[in-house]
Amino acid sequence: MRTVLSVAVALAVAGGACTAVAAAEPAPPSTTPLTALDPCPAGTLEDAPVLLIPGTNATVEKSLGPVRQALLEDGRCVYGLEYDSMQPISLSVDYFTAAVARIHEINDTTALDVVGKSQGALIARAVSVEFTDPHPLRHVVAISGPQHGVTKTVAGVDITPLGAHTPALNLLDRAAVRDMLVGSPYLTELNSGPMTAPSVRYTMIATAYDQIVSPPSVSFIDAPNVTNTLIQDGCPEDRAGHLAESTDPRTIDLVLNALDPVRHPSVRCLPNTDER
């Protein structure tokens, strides 16, 4: 049973949806053209716009749909952009770096918040160190991002041989997945310099029940401008796994609290037994 679960989780590698094994891989979401971005609606620029970056093989809705809805209900301006999450991460970082510049340009704003899930959380941090002061980003919230890399083992099972028998599982052939492995050339270069931008605040969120980005320390960064938060701290009954974080009430509240602790001073603690 554990192997079956591990295979299912491996299919999602760091994404937000778990699908059955198929004969062919699902096509990645179409990349959102930056020229198609519209200015924020009137009345939403009282606070910084928010850019959402989803995880591997997942749309914004799959990865961060409930977070997006909560932010919209708060009256925030939200940009959720799709991208090819299987391409080299450096290309995705270039795309979202350009997206940050574009959002600033069309809104004439001085600050932007970014929320990323899984691979999107790694991209969010990578984008933040691309800029110098005056920095266009105010706060980066990273949910279960492989900041220090993941291994080829998922829930104790080596996923490397699976691709030889099941093309849909041959994830290690994908550039983005290789870039997220511990010791990859991409992560080695990214982490050889400053891990964060000094003028940006960071909130790193992780779960002890993550079977993909684990242990939780993989998602954390030791820096004075970083707050590292384990979902189970103060709420051991929340056992949300990597995929389940996308809809987990506590995770959503932690994001809202990080971005606006005055408006969202409390964080729910509800039992969650979904360890996917």
Side-chain angles (χ1 to χ4, degrees), residues 164-204:
H165 307 290
T166 312
L169 289 176
N170 203 5
L171 295 166
L172 295 178
D173 279 351
R174 299 296 176 259
V177 177
R178 294 196 304 271
D179 285 345
M180 287 186 283
L181 294 176
V182 171
S184 71
Y186 174 76
L187 279 177
T188 299
E189 181 178 357
L190 174 65
N191 294 341
S192 64
M195 296 283 284
T196 63
S199 60
V200 178
R201 287 176 291 142
Y202 297 81
T203 298
M204 306 303 197

mmCIF file of all heavy atoms in Angstrom, residues 164-204:
data_model
loop_
_atom_site.group_PDB
_atom_site.id
_atom_site.type_symbol
_atom_site.label_atom_id
_atom_site.label_comp_id
_atom_site.label_asym_id
_atom_site.label_seq_id
_atom_site.Cartn_x
_atom_site.Cartn_y
_atom_site.Cartn_z
ATOM 1 N N ALA A 164 11.241 3.727 -16.190
ATOM 2 C CA ALA A 164 11.599 2.732 -17.200
ATOM 3 C C ALA A 164 10.395 1.897 -17.605
ATOM 4 O O ALA A 164 10.354 1.334 -18.691
ATOM 5 C CB ALA A 164 12.705 1.821 -16.657
ATOM 6 N N HIS A 165 9.402 1.828 -16.718
ATOM 7 C CA HIS A 165 8.229 1.007 -16.982
ATOM 8 C C HIS A 165 6.978 1.834 -17.249
ATOM 9 O O HIS A 165 6.054 1.359 -17.903
ATOM 10 C CB HIS A 165 7.970 0.082 -15.784
ATOM 11 C CG HIS A 165 9.164 -0.717 -15.384
ATOM 12 N ND1 HIS A 165 9.673 -1.750 -16.147
ATOM 13 C CD2 HIS A 165 9.993 -0.607 -14.314
ATOM 14 C CE1 HIS A 165 10.736 -2.259 -15.561
ATOM 15 N NE2 HIS A 165 10.957 -1.583 -14.441
ATOM 16 N N THR A 166 6.945 3.034 -16.755
ATOM 17 C CA THR A 166 5.754 3.869 -16.877
ATOM 18 C C THR A 166 6.149 5.266 -17.310
ATOM 19 O O THR A 166 6.655 6.042 -16.504
ATOM 20 C CB THR A 166 5.009 3.950 -15.526
ATOM 21 O OG1 THR A 166 4.878 2.636 -14.990
ATOM 22 C CG2 THR A 166 3.644 4.586 -15.705
ATOM 23 N N PRO A 167 5.979 5.605 -18.602
ATOM 24 C CA PRO A 167 6.398 6.930 -19.082
ATOM 25 C C PRO A 167 5.847 8.086 -18.256
ATOM 26 O O PRO A 167 6.520 9.083 -18.063
ATOM 27 C CB PRO A 167 5.852 6.965 -20.512
ATOM 28 C CG PRO A 167 5.770 5.534 -20.921
ATOM 29 C CD PRO A 167 5.393 4.783 -19.669
ATOM 30 N N ALA A 168 4.620 7.944 -17.750
ATOM 31 C CA ALA A 168 4.027 9.037 -16.988
ATOM 32 C C ALA A 168 4.782 9.304 -15.696
ATOM 33 O O ALA A 168 4.657 10.356 -15.093
ATOM 34 C CB ALA A 168 2.568 8.734 -16.680
ATOM 35 N N LEU A 169 5.572 8.305 -15.247
ATOM 36 C CA LEU A 169 6.318 8.470 -14.009
ATOM 37 C C LEU A 169 7.763 8.884 -14.256
ATOM 38 O O LEU A 169 8.520 9.061 -13.309
ATOM 39 C CB LEU A 169 6.309 7.157 -13.212
ATOM 40 C CG LEU A 169 4.978 6.771 -12.582
ATOM 41 C CD1 LEU A 169 5.101 5.413 -11.911
ATOM 42 C CD2 LEU A 169 4.534 7.802 -11.580
ATOM 43 N N ASN A 170 8.143 9.039 -15.509
ATOM 44 C CA ASN A 170 9.538 9.341 -15.806
ATOM 45 C C ASN A 170 9.813 10.829 -15.569
ATOM 46 O O ASN A 170 10.273 11.553 -16.441
ATOM 47 C CB ASN A 170 9.871 8.952 -17.248
ATOM 48 C CG ASN A 170 11.369 8.715 -17.415
ATOM 49 O OD1 ASN A 170 12.122 8.742 -16.453
ATOM 50 N ND2 ASN A 170 11.775 8.490 -18.639
ATOM 51 N N LEU A 171 9.524 11.249 -14.355
ATOM 52 C CA LEU A 171 9.620 12.663 -14.021
ATOM 53 C C LEU A 171 11.055 13.158 -14.000
ATOM 54 O O LEU A 171 11.305 14.341 -14.204
ATOM 55 C CB LEU A 171 8.969 12.899 -12.659
ATOM 56 C CG LEU A 171 7.468 12.625 -12.621
ATOM 57 C CD1 LEU A 171 6.974 12.543 -11.194
ATOM 58 C CD2 LEU A 171 6.705 13.686 -13.380
ATOM 59 N N LEU A 172 11.981 12.243 -13.755
ATOM 60 C CA LEU A 172 13.379 12.675 -13.674
ATOM 61 C C LEU A 172 13.935 13.067 -15.034
ATOM 62 O O LEU A 172 15.041 13.599 -15.122
ATOM 63 C CB LEU A 172 14.231 11.582 -13.034
ATOM 64 C CG LEU A 172 13.886 11.283 -11.567
ATOM 65 C CD1 LEU A 172 14.753 10.158 -11.034
ATOM 66 C CD2 LEU A 172 14.039 12.524 -10.707
ATOM 67 N N ASP A 173 13.180 12.815 -16.104
ATOM 68 C CA ASP A 173 13.564 13.308 -17.424
ATOM 69 C C ASP A 173 13.206 14.779 -17.596
ATOM 70 O O ASP A 173 13.585 15.392 -18.597
ATOM 71 C CB ASP A 173 12.861 12.504 -18.535
ATOM 72 C CG ASP A 173 13.579 11.191 -18.807
ATOM 73 O OD1 ASP A 173 14.686 11.004 -18.279
ATOM 74 O OD2 ASP A 173 13.008 10.360 -19.533
ATOM 75 N N ARG A 174 12.465 15.331 -16.667
ATOM 76 C CA ARG A 174 12.002 16.707 -16.789
ATOM 77 C C ARG A 174 12.985 17.644 -16.109
ATOM 78 O O ARG A 174 13.384 17.438 -14.963
ATOM 79 C CB ARG A 174 10.617 16.853 -16.159
ATOM 80 C CG ARG A 174 9.570 15.978 -16.841
ATOM 81 C CD ARG A 174 9.365 16.408 -18.307
ATOM 82 N NE ARG A 174 8.456 15.537 -19.016
ATOM 83 C CZ ARG A 174 8.842 14.575 -19.854
ATOM 84 N NH1 ARG A 174 10.132 14.365 -20.065
ATOM 85 N NH2 ARG A 174 7.949 13.846 -20.473
ATOM 86 N N ALA A 175 13.348 18.704 -16.817
ATOM 87 C CA ALA A 175 14.394 19.607 -16.343
ATOM 88 C C ALA A 175 14.066 20.190 -14.972
ATOM 89 O O ALA A 175 14.940 20.267 -14.093
ATOM 90 C CB ALA A 175 14.601 20.731 -17.353
ATOM 91 N N ALA A 176 12.829 20.602 -14.762
ATOM 92 C CA ALA A 176 12.472 21.233 -13.491
ATOM 93 C C ALA A 176 12.639 20.268 -12.329
ATOM 94 O O ALA A 176 13.074 20.656 -11.238
ATOM 95 C CB ALA A 176 11.044 21.760 -13.549
ATOM 96 N N VAL A 177 12.274 19.003 -12.558
ATOM 97 C CA VAL A 177 12.410 18.008 -11.490
ATOM 98 C C VAL A 177 13.872 17.779 -11.162
ATOM 99 O O VAL A 177 14.267 17.725 -9.993
ATOM 100 C CB VAL A 177 11.709 16.695 -11.884
ATOM 101 C CG1 VAL A 177 11.906 15.641 -10.799
ATOM 102 C CG2 VAL A 177 10.222 16.932 -12.122
ATOM 103 N N ARG A 178 14.703 17.672 -12.174
ATOM 104 C CA ARG A 178 16.148 17.509 -11.935
ATOM 105 C C ARG A 178 16.709 18.728 -11.209
ATOM 106 O O ARG A 178 17.561 18.594 -10.328
ATOM 107 C CB ARG A 178 16.888 17.290 -13.253
ATOM 108 C CG ARG A 178 16.548 15.980 -13.953
ATOM 109 C CD ARG A 178 17.577 15.655 -15.028
ATOM 110 N NE ARG A 178 17.722 16.720 -16.006
ATOM 111 C CZ ARG A 178 16.989 16.831 -17.115
ATOM 112 N NH1 ARG A 178 16.045 15.934 -17.361
ATOM 113 N NH2 ARG A 178 17.187 17.817 -17.967
ATOM 114 N N ASP A 179 16.215 19.905 -11.553
ATOM 115 C CA ASP A 179 16.707 21.125 -10.898
ATOM 116 C C ASP A 179 16.379 21.148 -9.408
ATOM 117 O O ASP A 179 17.075 21.819 -8.630
ATOM 118 C CB ASP A 179 16.087 22.365 -11.555
ATOM 119 C CG ASP A 179 16.699 22.696 -12.903
ATOM 120 O OD1 ASP A 179 17.779 22.161 -13.225
ATOM 121 O OD2 ASP A 179 16.082 23.488 -13.656
ATOM 122 N N MET A 180 15.326 20.439 -9.006
ATOM 123 C CA MET A 180 14.916 20.453 -7.605
ATOM 124 C C MET A 180 15.599 19.388 -6.760
ATOM 125 O O MET A 180 15.386 19.313 -5.549
ATOM 126 C CB MET A 180 13.395 20.305 -7.496
ATOM 127 C CG MET A 180 12.636 21.552 -7.919
ATOM 128 S SD MET A 180 10.843 21.439 -7.639
ATOM 129 C CE MET A 180 10.344 20.397 -9.020
ATOM 130 N N LEU A 181 16.426 18.537 -7.376
ATOM 131 C CA LEU A 181 17.104 17.487 -6.630
ATOM 132 C C LEU A 181 18.253 18.058 -5.803
ATOM 133 O O LEU A 181 18.922 19.017 -6.216
ATOM 134 C CB LEU A 181 17.646 16.419 -7.585
ATOM 135 C CG LEU A 181 16.599 15.607 -8.359
ATOM 136 C CD1 LEU A 181 17.293 14.659 -9.322
ATOM 137 C CD2 LEU A 181 15.684 14.843 -7.412
ATOM 138 N N VAL A 182 18.484 17.460 -4.659
ATOM 139 C CA VAL A 182 19.596 17.879 -3.799
ATOM 140 C C VAL A 182 20.899 17.852 -4.591
ATOM 141 O O VAL A 182 21.204 16.878 -5.280
ATOM 142 C CB VAL A 182 19.707 16.941 -2.583
ATOM 143 C CG1 VAL A 182 20.990 17.216 -1.805
ATOM 144 C CG2 VAL A 182 18.493 17.087 -1.684
ATOM 145 N N GLY A 183 21.652 18.937 -4.526
ATOM 146 C CA GLY A 183 22.948 18.993 -5.189
ATOM 147 C C GLY A 183 22.904 19.262 -6.671
ATOM 148 O O GLY A 183 23.940 19.196 -7.334
ATOM 149 N N SER A 184 21.721 19.590 -7.207
ATOM 150 C CA SER A 184 21.642 19.872 -8.641
ATOM 151 C C SER A 184 22.457 21.117 -8.973
ATOM 152 O O SER A 184 22.645 22.000 -8.117
ATOM 153 C CB SER A 184 20.185 20.102 -9.056
ATOM 154 O OG SER A 184 19.706 21.348 -8.546
ATOM 155 N N PRO A 185 22.961 21.223 -10.203
ATOM 156 C CA PRO A 185 23.705 22.439 -10.565
ATOM 157 C C PRO A 185 22.896 23.702 -10.343
ATOM 158 O O PRO A 185 23.442 24.724 -9.910
ATOM 159 C CB PRO A 185 24.016 22.220 -12.056
ATOM 160 C CG PRO A 185 24.058 20.728 -12.209
ATOM 161 C CD PRO A 185 22.994 20.210 -11.273
ATOM 162 N N TYR A 186 21.586 23.644 -10.612
ATOM 163 C CA TYR A 186 20.769 24.840 -10.433
ATOM 164 C C TYR A 186 20.736 25.267 -8.972
ATOM 165 O O TYR A 186 20.986 26.443 -8.645
ATOM 166 C CB TYR A 186 19.335 24.615 -10.931
ATOM 167 C CG TYR A 186 18.461 25.818 -10.615
ATOM 168 C CD1 TYR A 186 18.568 26.989 -11.364
ATOM 169 C CD2 TYR A 186 17.595 25.814 -9.518
ATOM 170 C CE1 TYR A 186 17.819 28.113 -11.048
ATOM 171 C CE2 TYR A 186 16.844 26.935 -9.201
ATOM 172 C CZ TYR A 186 16.964 28.084 -9.969
ATOM 173 O OH TYR A 186 16.243 29.194 -9.630
ATOM 174 N N LEU A 187 20.397 24.333 -8.061
ATOM 175 C CA LEU A 187 20.304 24.696 -6.645
ATOM 176 C C LEU A 187 21.666 25.071 -6.073
ATOM 177 O O LEU A 187 21.766 25.957 -5.218
ATOM 178 C CB LEU A 187 19.707 23.541 -5.847
ATOM 179 C CG LEU A 187 18.190 23.416 -5.884
ATOM 180 C CD1 LEU A 187 17.746 22.187 -5.097
ATOM 181 C CD2 LEU A 187 17.521 24.666 -5.321
ATOM 182 N N THR A 188 22.708 24.396 -6.546
ATOM 183 C CA THR A 188 24.048 24.719 -6.060
ATOM 184 C C THR A 188 24.400 26.164 -6.379
ATOM 185 O O THR A 188 24.920 26.900 -5.532
ATOM 186 C CB THR A 188 25.087 23.772 -6.681
ATOM 187 O OG1 THR A 188 24.779 22.421 -6.301
ATOM 188 C CG2 THR A 188 26.495 24.121 -6.213
ATOM 189 N N GLU A 189 24.103 26.585 -7.602
ATOM 190 C CA GLU A 189 24.383 27.970 -7.990
ATOM 191 C C GLU A 189 23.485 28.949 -7.246
ATOM 192 O O GLU A 189 23.943 29.983 -6.735
ATOM 193 C CB GLU A 189 24.215 28.143 -9.495
ATOM 194 C CG GLU A 189 24.507 29.565 -9.976
ATOM 195 C CD GLU A 189 24.376 29.719 -11.478
ATOM 196 O OE1 GLU A 189 24.112 28.718 -12.166
ATOM 197 O OE2 GLU A 189 24.534 30.859 -11.959
ATOM 198 N N LEU A 190 22.173 28.633 -7.164
ATOM 199 C CA LEU A 190 21.230 29.537 -6.504
ATOM 200 C C LEU A 190 21.618 29.764 -5.048
ATOM 201 O O LEU A 190 21.583 30.895 -4.550
ATOM 202 C CB LEU A 190 19.814 28.959 -6.579
ATOM 203 C CG LEU A 190 18.727 29.725 -5.810
ATOM 204 C CD1 LEU A 190 18.514 31.110 -6.408
ATOM 205 C CD2 LEU A 190 17.414 28.933 -5.804
ATOM 206 N N ASN A 191 21.993 28.684 -4.358
ATOM 207 C CA ASN A 191 22.250 28.772 -2.925
ATOM 208 C C ASN A 191 23.698 29.096 -2.586
ATOM 209 O O ASN A 191 24.062 29.135 -1.405
ATOM 210 C CB ASN A 191 21.819 27.476 -2.240
ATOM 211 C CG ASN A 191 20.313 27.257 -2.291
ATOM 212 O OD1 ASN A 191 19.552 28.201 -2.522
ATOM 213 N ND2 ASN A 191 19.879 26.029 -2.098
ATOM 214 N N SER A 192 24.514 29.324 -3.594
ATOM 215 C CA SER A 192 25.911 29.688 -3.331
ATOM 216 C C SER A 192 26.040 31.152 -2.924
ATOM 217 O O SER A 192 27.035 31.547 -2.319
ATOM 218 C CB SER A 192 26.776 29.424 -4.572
ATOM 219 O OG SER A 192 26.369 30.252 -5.656
ATOM 220 N N GLY A 193 25.031 31.949 -3.259
ATOM 221 C CA GLY A 193 25.021 33.356 -2.878
ATOM 222 C C GLY A 193 24.060 33.581 -1.730
ATOM 223 O O GLY A 193 23.650 32.631 -1.045
ATOM 224 N N PRO A 194 23.645 34.819 -1.497
ATOM 225 C CA PRO A 194 22.661 35.102 -0.443
ATOM 226 C C PRO A 194 21.361 34.332 -0.689
ATOM 227 O O PRO A 194 20.857 34.297 -1.805
ATOM 228 C CB PRO A 194 22.453 36.613 -0.556
ATOM 229 C CG PRO A 194 23.691 37.129 -1.216
ATOM 230 C CD PRO A 194 24.113 36.054 -2.162
ATOM 231 N N MET A 195 20.827 33.734 0.359
ATOM 232 C CA MET A 195 19.601 32.945 0.228
ATOM 233 C C MET A 195 18.359 33.832 0.144
ATOM 234 O O MET A 195 17.313 33.393 -0.343
ATOM 235 C CB MET A 195 19.460 31.994 1.423
ATOM 236 C CG MET A 195 20.553 30.948 1.523
ATOM 237 S SD MET A 195 20.347 29.600 0.354
ATOM 238 C CE MET A 195 19.039 28.656 1.121
ATOM 239 N N THR A 196 18.482 35.068 0.627
ATOM 240 C CA THR A 196 17.338 35.982 0.630
ATOM 241 C C THR A 196 17.807 37.384 0.257
ATOM 242 O O THR A 196 19.002 37.675 0.271
ATOM 243 C CB THR A 196 16.671 36.035 2.018
ATOM 244 O OG1 THR A 196 17.613 36.548 2.974
ATOM 245 C CG2 THR A 196 16.195 34.664 2.452
ATOM 246 N N ALA A 197 16.832 38.232 -0.058
ATOM 247 C CA ALA A 197 17.109 39.652 -0.281
ATOM 248 C C ALA A 197 16.888 40.370 1.046
ATOM 249 O O ALA A 197 15.823 40.211 1.662
ATOM 250 C CB ALA A 197 16.181 40.207 -1.354
ATOM 251 N N PRO A 198 17.845 41.157 1.520
ATOM 252 C CA PRO A 198 17.771 41.727 2.875
ATOM 253 C C PRO A 198 16.536 42.559 3.153
ATOM 254 O O PRO A 198 16.033 42.559 4.283
ATOM 255 C CB PRO A 198 19.045 42.583 2.949
ATOM 256 C CG PRO A 198 19.961 42.013 1.936
ATOM 257 C CD PRO A 198 19.090 41.500 0.835
ATOM 258 N N SER A 199 16.007 43.257 2.157
ATOM 259 C CA SER A 199 14.879 44.155 2.405
ATOM 260 C C SER A 199 13.515 43.487 2.237
ATOM 261 O O SER A 199 12.481 44.138 2.379
ATOM 262 C CB SER A 199 14.963 45.371 1.481
ATOM 263 O OG SER A 199 14.936 44.960 0.115
ATOM 264 N N VAL A 200 13.497 42.202 1.941
ATOM 265 C CA VAL A 200 12.246 41.453 1.750
ATOM 266 C C VAL A 200 11.984 40.593 2.973
ATOM 267 O O VAL A 200 12.905 40.017 3.557
ATOM 268 C CB VAL A 200 12.324 40.575 0.482
ATOM 269 C CG1 VAL A 200 11.047 39.754 0.307
ATOM 270 C CG2 VAL A 200 12.599 41.422 -0.746
ATOM 271 N N ARG A 201 10.722 40.478 3.376
ATOM 272 C CA ARG A 201 10.341 39.565 4.451
ATOM 273 C C ARG A 201 9.920 38.223 3.842
ATOM 274 O O ARG A 201 9.288 38.184 2.785
ATOM 275 C CB ARG A 201 9.194 40.151 5.279
ATOM 276 C CG ARG A 201 9.611 41.304 6.187
ATOM 277 C CD ARG A 201 8.408 41.889 6.897
ATOM 278 N NE ARG A 201 7.532 42.592 5.978
ATOM 279 C CZ ARG A 201 6.215 42.598 6.023
ATOM 280 N NH1 ARG A 201 5.585 41.867 6.925
ATOM 281 N NH2 ARG A 201 5.502 43.282 5.155
ATOM 282 N N TYR A 202 10.251 37.159 4.538
ATOM 283 C CA TYR A 202 9.934 35.818 4.059
ATOM 284 C C TYR A 202 9.222 35.030 5.148
ATOM 285 O O TYR A 202 9.593 35.091 6.321
ATOM 286 C CB TYR A 202 11.208 35.049 3.682
ATOM 287 C CG TYR A 202 11.997 35.656 2.548
ATOM 288 C CD1 TYR A 202 12.859 36.722 2.775
ATOM 289 C CD2 TYR A 202 11.879 35.160 1.249
ATOM 290 C CE1 TYR A 202 13.587 37.290 1.739
ATOM 291 C CE2 TYR A 202 12.612 35.722 0.213
ATOM 292 C CZ TYR A 202 13.456 36.791 0.465
ATOM 293 O OH TYR A 202 14.175 37.341 -0.569
ATOM 294 N N THR A 203 8.190 34.293 4.745
ATOM 295 C CA THR A 203 7.536 33.331 5.627
ATOM 296 C C THR A 203 7.590 31.977 4.941
ATOM 297 O O THR A 203 7.038 31.801 3.847
ATOM 298 C CB THR A 203 6.072 33.718 5.910
ATOM 299 O OG1 THR A 203 6.043 34.987 6.569
ATOM 300 C CG2 THR A 203 5.402 32.678 6.796
ATOM 301 N N MET A 204 8.278 31.033 5.559
ATOM 302 C CA MET A 204 8.417 29.681 5.022
ATOM 303 C C MET A 204 7.510 28.747 5.816
ATOM 304 O O MET A 204 7.638 28.647 7.038
ATOM 305 C CB MET A 204 9.876 29.210 5.110
ATOM 306 C CG MET A 204 10.873 30.156 4.464
ATOM 307 S SD MET A 204 10.512 30.461 2.714
ATOM 308 C CE MET A 204 12.067 31.137 2.142
#
